[in-house]
Amino acid sequence: AARSGAELAGQRAGDALACAKLNQAVSDLQEEIDLQMQAVGELIYATHRGSPSNSDDVQEILEFVDSLYEEMEGHQQELKRLRGELLCAGCGAENESANLYCHNCGQPLGRE
């Protein structure tokens, strides 16, 4: 019993550390998104002030921001999993623990 308790405590400590790292990664990504969006705003404002910006530059930044948002979403989904939230593997919807099937798409919910 003591051994399984120690293993469980170790697992929880590992999960807590993983959550802390993921939270930091999400924070870093949000900071980078904010900086990139500021750059887009500055380019658009420069155009407004008479210094046309290259629309390809704006598009490139926005595509980069899209990739940052996708990465952040992945981290947030992993955080939910570590916290024990029941997520649908098909659509990512959060479900109540009593659900056998996803309330959003109807896919069977796998339980680990």
Side-chain angles (χ1 to χ4, degrees):
R3 183 179 212 176
S4 79
E7 288 174 0
L8 181 60
Q11 174 71 32
R12 287 186 180 159
D15 288 350
L17 179 60
C19 284
K21 287 180 178 179
L22 286 168
N23 280 322
Q24 183 60 51
V26 167
S27 178
D28 292 345
L29 286 167
Q30 186 60 58
E31 186 176 329
E32 182 64 25
I33 289 167
D34 292 345
L35 289 171
Q36 295 299 320
M37 294 306 290
Q38 181 179 351
V40 168
E42 289 170 2
L43 288 170
I44 291 171
Y45 186 70
T47 300
H48 166 74
R49 297 286 291 173
S51 301
S53 59
N54 184 343
S55 63
D56 290 339
D57 292 342
V58 173
Q59 183 65 29
E60 186 177 316
I61 293 171
L62 292 175
E63 288 173 1
F64 178 58
V65 167
D66 287 342
S67 72
L68 295 173
Y69 273 120
E70 288 175 18
E71 185 178 351
M72 187 165 55
E73 177 64 25
H75 290 329
Q76 290 168 333
Q77 292 294 330
E78 181 63 11
L79 278 166
K80 288 177 182 180
R81 188 193 67 75
L82 287 170
R83 292 180 186 134
E85 296 178 26
L86 188 57
L87 303 174
C88 175
C91 70
E94 294 180 36
N95 285 270
E96 294 182 20
S97 61
N99 291 10
L100 296 177
Y101 298 91
C102 177
H103 72 86
N104 187 53
C105 71
Q107 181 172 324
L109 296 170
R111 290 180 165 72
E112 295 178 14

